[in-house]
Amino acid sequence: MLWDVDHTLVDVDGLGREAYDLAFLRRHGRPITHQPPMAGRTDRAIAHDVLRLNGAPTGEDDLEGLRAAAETAFDELAHLLPVRGRALPGAVAAVATTPGVQSVLTGNLRRIAEVKLGPFGLVEHLDLDAGAYGWSHAVRANLVDIARGAARQRYERSFDGRRTVLVGDTPLDVEAALLTGAGVVAVATGRYTGEELQAAGAHVVLPDLSDTVGVGDAIEKAAKG
């Protein structure tokens, strides 16, 4: 099981974007004036576009500098998570009751993902070393096999095909699963409607995670094909 983080398990009220705004300001001495889209995208892709759209160099050293600055900025903003952030309805129960190996497949940097999940009782149910994070590749679909490889190494068994199921809230989550032969449950808890997620090809679409039994049934259906 690979859970998306933002708008699937938690809502952190834009703190991730604020961290990038602060990181860019510190690195370049001026504010971001052109914001790239973020929903469903990896932090590597977002960081590249932040630099490109705002007239900054996009070399690997520039990307790494922005990454490090964003991690630092998010750590500084983390005290706001209990006030501005929340676990989405049913998220804790869904993760707590889902059997098998569970981790995350997220566009977030690992450090930021851990900090986002920490205050809401989610980390204890997840093996974060068996997941994949948004600095490993700019294309989200390529994170699926990275996570499979990490899980295979840790558990010494295969997670090919629909032995892997993704849960996420964007068409890019759906695309990542379809391109890699995984199952996918889409939840309409972000900016996309259930109809849009269905049209993207999700195997199952849920309005949210609040029906714990229904979430389990949806995961089982997505796994079976």
Side-chain angles (χ1 to χ4, degrees), residues 147-188:
R148 282 172 169 154
R152 186 183 304 115
Q153 184 173 12
R154 287 180 64 75
Y155 295 93
E156 299 182 343
R157 57 191 173 96
S158 171
F159 295 90
D160 293 342
R162 293 206 183 181
R163 294 183 181 92
T164 298
V165 176
L166 278 61
V167 181
D169 66 286
T170 76
L172 288 176
D173 295 291
V174 177
E175 178 186 68
L178 298 181
L179 288 175
T180 57
V184 58
V185 177
V187 287

Side-chain angles (χ1 to χ4, degrees), residues 20-32 66:
Y20 271 98
D21 289 348
L22 183 56
F24 186 89
L25 178 64
R26 288 173 172 173
R27 291 275 299 169
H28 298 281
R30 54 190 172 88
I32 290 175
L66 186 62

Side-chain angles (χ1 to χ4, degrees), residues 82-166:
V83 178
R84 290 177 52 183
R86 63 189 177 104
L88 290 177
V92 176
V95 173
T97 58
T98 296
V101 177
Q102 296 188 84
S103 190
V104 297
L105 190 141
T106 174
N108 284 285
L109 297 164
R110 174 163 179 163
R111 173 60 185 166
I112 290 178
E114 290 186 72
V115 174
K116 285 181 178 180
L117 295 169
F120 306 114
L122 290 157
V123 172
E124 63 197 75
H125 304 293
L126 301 167
D127 181 355
L128 296 181
D129 290 330
Y133 303 88
W135 206 252
S136 296
H137 202 283
V139 178
R140 191 181 191 95
N142 290 342
L143 300 182
V144 178
D145 283 337
I146 293 172
R148 282 172 169 154
R152 186 183 304 115
Q153 184 173 12
R154 287 180 64 75
Y155 295 93
E156 299 182 343
R157 57 191 173 96
S158 171
F159 295 90
D160 293 342
R162 293 206 183 181
R163 294 183 181 92
T164 298
V165 176
L166 278 61

